[in-house]
Each structure stands twice: as structure tokens, then as C-alpha cells.
Amino acid sequence: VNSNVLIPRQETEILVESIIKSFDANSSLTILDIGSGSGNIAIVLAKYFPNSTVVSIDISQLALETAIHNAKLNAVDQRIIFKIEDITKQPELERDFFDVIVSNPPYVSSEQYKDLQPELKLYEPKIALTDNSDGFTFYKLISAKAKSLLKQEGKIFFEVGEGQSQNVVDILTENDFNKIRVIKDYLNIDRVITGDL
């Protein structure tokens, strides 16, 4: 990692484990990772699902360079397509193509960001931490766009911050997702929200 990417947290392991537990390792999946960062999510999924294709997007060229470097270190760079894409605009992604969309988006609200520990502000990019709003911007955006990007019965997986789970469940419900589940982390905090289209 470096100052261009978020330092991966233990909580994100729950996000990745939730996907791993949902599919057979031999599955041929198409996976979209929104917000590559260091590449940790895309790399683990590419290693665990060797017959699958992973597309990993980020708005930051510097973050993508870090992710590509890490993918090479883990010998999965040939099985991950890294792309610069701005999810707030119309991304150049195939419609009805993905079995899985996964994201650990910036979910710290602008109010919470003011009170973050100084080391977070010093060493991690603001763009990866906060949406400069209420913390739910990217959940709303991704949930709405996911309806055209996911195949029928495709699944979405989000990491969420403490106290955000009900709002994200509501966002998914409003966007026609069903079989919505909340998965707790090791501290018994709601950490992952998943739903089916």
C-alpha cells in the first residue's frame, strides 16, 4: 500500500469471505469490483475463483497502478481487467454482464470525517474515505446502476460502516433487490449487506 490507496482493514475480509461462501470455487463468474484501491478485493477473488473474470474499476490512476502492481505480485494480473472509470458518470461497462458486484465504497460522512484520527487523514486518500456527504452517496448510486449491469439473479455485496446497515438495506429494497442479508463482523457489528437482483 501507499498514500494513494486505503489501507485494507480486517472488516473487508468479511466482505470477501461472504462472496467466497456464496459460490463454488470452480464457478465461472463475472465479477465487478467498484473502487479497486490496493486491489485487495479483486486479487483475492481472482485467486479463489480461477475460472472467473474480474473487472476492477477506480477513478484514480495512481490507485490502479498500485492494484496492478499487487496483482502481478500475486500472479493474477492476467485475470483481472483494471479500468479507470467514474461510477458517478455512465461507466463503459457491459450491460447484463456481471454475476457479482462488490464494493467497499467511501462511506464516512463529511461530519464523521472531521473527527477521524489524524493518521487516517495524513496517510490515506480522502476520496477513498468519504463521499463528502451523508455517507450513502455511493450505495445509492451503485445500487441504481447495478440493475443494468447485473445478470438476472446477480448478487451485490457491500461493506458498510457501523450504524449504516438499515439505510443500505432500504436502498437495496428501493432498487428491487431481494433476499437481502446482513452479515456481522467479528465484533458483532453489521458489516456486509448482500442482496439478489
Side-chain angles (χ1 to χ4, degrees):
V1 296
N2 52 47
S3 60
N4 301 309
V5 299
L6 198 69
I7 298 168
R9 306 297 202 277
Q10 192 175 26
E11 290 82 4
T12 304
E13 292 180 27
I14 309 296
L15 177 64
V16 176
E17 285 173 2
S18 301
I19 300 171
I20 287 171
K21 289 176 180 176
S22 298
F23 300 96
D24 185 272
N26 295 313
S27 299
S28 296
L29 303 170
T30 48
I31 301 169
L32 175 61
D33 168 36
I34 299 175
S36 308
S38 65
N40 58 319
I41 293 171
I43 289 165
V44 173
L45 294 176
K47 286 182 83 75
Y48 193 85
F49 298 110
N51 300 320
S52 296
T53 299
V54 181
V55 177
S56 188
I57 64 172
D58 204 292
I59 196 172
S60 165
Q61 175 67 43
L62 293 172
L64 278 183
E65 287 172 8
T66 306
I68 290 166
H69 176 73
N70 286 329
K72 287 177 179 173
L73 288 177
N74 286 276
V76 290
D77 53 301
Q78 298 300 312
R79 290 195 290 105
I80 304 174
I81 301 163
F82 289 105
K83 298 177 70 174
I84 289 189
E85 291 283 357
D86 182 350
I87 196 67
T88 66
K89 298 177 180 172
Q90 190 59 44
E92 293 183 21
L93 299 166
E94 294 185 58
R95 294 174 64 88
D96 306 319
F97 181 71
F98 296 99
D99 297 293
V100 174
I101 291 178
V102 55
S103 187
N104 176 18
Y107 57 65
V108 176
S109 71
S110 52
E111 284 300 307
Q112 291 171 320
Y113 186 79
K114 296 175 190 172
D115 300 324
L116 285 183
Q117 301 96 313
E119 62 267 23
L120 290 177
K121 295 181 182 179
L122 279 173
Y123 299 114
E124 301 191 74
K126 185 178 182 182
I127 194 173
L129 290 165
T130 180
D131 65 350
N132 295 305
S133 183
D134 61 0
F136 296 102
T137 303
F138 289 97
Y139 297 114
K140 294 173 183 173
L141 194 64
I142 294 169
S143 297
K145 290 182 184 282
K147 291 191 286 184
S148 65
L149 296 171
L150 282 172
K151 296 176 185 175
Q152 193 62 40
E153 299 183 5
K155 296 180 185 293
I156 196 165
F157 293 82
F158 282 130
E159 180 175 326
V160 298
E162 186 171 0
Q164 290 184 316
S165 62
Q166 188 55 55
N167 291 69
V168 177
V169 166
D170 292 343
I171 290 166
L172 284 177
T173 302
E174 289 162 11
N175 283 280
D176 305 320
F177 284 87
N178 56 72
K179 298 180 185 174
I180 298 168
R181 290 188 303 129
V182 179
I183 299 163
K184 295 184 181 294
D185 65 16
Y186 300 123
L187 296 176
N188 208 38
I189 295 167
D190 292 351
R191 187 60 63 187
V192 172
I193 313 291
T194 178
D196 293 11
L197 191 60

